[in-house]
């Protein structure tokens, strides 16, 4: 009788141990599926809310910008509007997605999770819910790499107006981990006067978001385009601002461009046209001591698929140095 009880107790103990092991395995599997938590800087257990299927990120942005034009309209945001979006982006970068969604909802913004069908990588899309309406506000979008914490930004202040700079931005974002893409939400001549020219005004959502990133000490590259006749001797005009902070990155980028057969005007060496001296995001970065590059690409470069690809590849040699994940850095 004692032997039977002993056997029964032993079997029960084995069953309990097995059950605990199965439960532990299930918990570990669930943890892997939910991805990084707040400690990584981006995701929590609500990361997959509002998720879309796999989409080509370039096509998605092409659709977004397809309605941009000089007559497409623009509503100047209030100070509270700007703060709400910038704070929402900051909360998201801190891994506080629920709080970010709450703050962004105050101004009808939302966060979606998308998977880029070309790279298989996931990005957060911070976007205006009202943009599909008859009178879009033109406040822009933000894309955040979900693989790692944010370490750098690529900024597109004049999509469509500076043709195909938005696609250069996508190419740069795709090519290096840890990136944030900030894209303006209207043609630079939309609205009244120059109020939608976000590279030269401090009262835009675009500027507020870029300020938030700069205050977090994320270095940035801003992409522009020019008509060939504006600087016929060059393919690219590279500016590192007024001070010394961005010179190393500027030299590295100019060298990478030159190695890919581009003629580059280096604004810290020569008197170049279109140097971006009045760029307000550059001024902010200079004051904060954060690297910032203002890069102008000729129309010929932007409109040629192969040359635009090589240009983005050169830019990625700089973002690669800022990337937190060496294994994901592209070869230079």
């Amino acid at each position: 009788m004692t032997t039977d009880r002993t056997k029964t107790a032993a079997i029960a103990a084995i069953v309990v141990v097995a059950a605990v092991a199965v439960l532990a395995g299930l918990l570990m599997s669930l943890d892997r599926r939910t991805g990084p938590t707040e400690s990584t800087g981006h995701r929590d257990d609500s990361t997959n809310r509002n998720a879309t299927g796999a989409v080509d990120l370039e096509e998605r942005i092409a659709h977004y910008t397809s309605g941009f034009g000089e007559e497409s309209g623009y509503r100047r945001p209030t100070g509270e509007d700007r703060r709400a979006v910038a704070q929402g982006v900051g909360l998201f970068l801190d891994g506080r997605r629920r709080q970010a969604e709450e703050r962004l909802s105050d101004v009808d913004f939302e966060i979606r999770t998308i998977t880029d069908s070309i790279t298989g990588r996931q990005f957060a899309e911070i976007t205006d819910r009202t943009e599909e309406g008859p009178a879009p506000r033109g406040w822009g979008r933000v894309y955040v790499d979900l693989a790692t914490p944010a370490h750098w930004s690529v900024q597109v202040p004049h999509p469509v107006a500076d043709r195909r700079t938005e696609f250069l931005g996508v190419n740069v974002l795709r090519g290096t981990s840890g990136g944030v893409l900030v894209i303006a939400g209207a043609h630079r001549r939309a609205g009244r006067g120059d109020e939608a020219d976000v590279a030269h005004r401090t009262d835009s959502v675009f500027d507020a978001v870029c300020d938030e990133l700069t205050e977090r000490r994320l270095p940035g590259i801003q992409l522009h385009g020019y008509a060939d006749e504006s600087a016929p001797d060059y393919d690219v005009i590279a500016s590192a601002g007024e001070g010394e902070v961005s010179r190393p990155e500027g030299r590295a980028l100019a060298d990478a461009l030159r190695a890919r057969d581009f003629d580059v005007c280096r604004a810290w060496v020569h008197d170049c046209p279109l140097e971006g001296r009045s760029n307000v995001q550059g001024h902010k970065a200079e004051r904060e001591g954060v690297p910032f590059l203002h890069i102008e690409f000729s129309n010929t470069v932007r409109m040629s698929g192969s040359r635009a690809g090589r240009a983005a590849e050169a830019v990625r040699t700089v973002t690669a140095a800022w990337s937190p994940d060496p294994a994901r850095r592209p070869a230079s």
Side-chain angles (χ1 to χ4, degrees):
M1 196 72 170
T2 302
T3 301
D4 289 343
R5 289 176 180 168
T6 302
K7 288 180 178 178
T8 300
I11 291 170
I14 291 170
V15 170
V16 170
V17 170
V20 170
V22 170
L23 179 60
L26 288 171
L27 290 173
M28 289 177 65
S29 175
L30 178 61
D31 183 62
R32 284 194 295 269
R33 287 199 301 271
T34 54
T37 59
E38 290 193 7
S39 63
T40 69
H42 288 319
R43 298 189 196 170
D44 61 16
D45 60 5
S46 61
T47 293
N48 290 320
R49 278 210 309 272
N50 300 325
T52 70
V55 296
D56 182 327
L57 184 56
E58 183 172 311
E59 290 182 358
R60 189 172 183 85
I61 289 180
H63 174 73
Y64 171 56
T65 60
S66 62
F68 288 12
E70 295 184 25
E71 305 300 325
S72 58
Y74 176 78
R75 185 194 305 176
R76 188 188 303 179
T78 66
E80 176 55 26
D81 294 331
R82 300 193 300 271
R83 284 189 294 274
V85 179
Q87 289 170 2
V89 171
L91 286 165
F92 184 79
L93 295 181
D94 287 338
R96 300 163 65 186
R97 177 161 180 157
R98 288 192 186 89
Q99 294 94 322
E101 288 175 327
E102 291 172 1
R103 186 67 176 111
L104 290 165
S105 70
D106 292 340
V107 287
D108 277 332
F109 267 65
E110 65 180 349
I111 304 172
R112 302 168 184 159
T113 299
I114 66 170
T115 299
D116 178 30
S117 61
I118 302 302
T119 62
R121 292 166 58 195
Q122 283 197 320
F123 298 92
E125 179 184 75
I126 300 175
T127 184
D128 191 345
R129 290 195 190 103
T130 72
E131 66 191 21
E132 299 296 338
R137 298 181 293 189
W139 291 354
R141 280 185 178 179
V142 180
Y143 289 87
V144 182
D145 181 9
L146 291 177
T148 62
H151 278 68
W152 56 272
S153 76
V154 55
Q155 305 165 15
V156 182
H158 300 144
V160 178
D162 289 1
R163 287 189 296 174
R164 301 191 66 82
T165 51
E166 58 270 30
F167 305 132
L168 280 172
V170 172
N171 200 330
V172 173
L173 181 69
R174 279 173 166 168
T176 319
S177 61
V180 179
L181 169 62
V182 188
I183 181 169
H187 192 284
R188 68 184 298 177
R189 295 190 181 90
R192 300 175 181 174
D194 66 346
E195 66 181 357
D197 185 358
V198 298
H200 301 103
R201 296 185 66 111
T202 59
D203 57 354
S204 70
V205 168
F206 179 93
D207 183 68
V209 171
C210 291
D211 277 2
E212 177 72 23
L213 300 180
T214 298
E215 288 168 7
R216 289 168 176 270
R217 308 206 64 76
L218 270 63
I221 292 183
Q222 194 168 107
L223 307 179
H224 293 261
Y226 65 92
D228 292 350
E229 57 270 21
S230 296
D233 296 330
Y234 299 104
D235 299 307
V236 185
I237 299 164
S239 174
E242 300 288 348
E244 301 289 331
V245 173
S246 306
R247 294 284 177 86
E249 287 86 355
R251 293 189 186 99
L253 177 57
D255 289 347
L257 288 163
R258 185 69 188 89
R260 290 162 176 80
D261 298 322
F262 292 103
D263 291 319
V264 184
C265 187
R266 306 177 186 225
W268 55 93
V269 177
H270 303 289
D271 183 14
C272 304
L274 305 168
E275 294 179 352
R277 302 295 186 189
S278 60
N279 184 280
V280 298
Q281 290 81 42
H283 291 168
K284 170 73 172 181
E286 190 69 36
R287 292 194 301 271
E288 298 290 335
V290 175
F292 176 90
L293 298 179
H294 179 282
I295 312 300
E296 294 266 1
F297 295 94
S298 72
N299 186 64
T300 296
V301 169
R302 286 177 284 119
M303 300 307 291
S304 165
S306 60
R307 300 194 81 194
R310 295 203 313 274
E313 183 182 69
V315 173
R316 293 199 303 266
T317 65
V318 175
T319 58
W322 297 329
S323 172
D325 184 0
R328 297 285 293 279
R329 295 178 185 174
S332 59

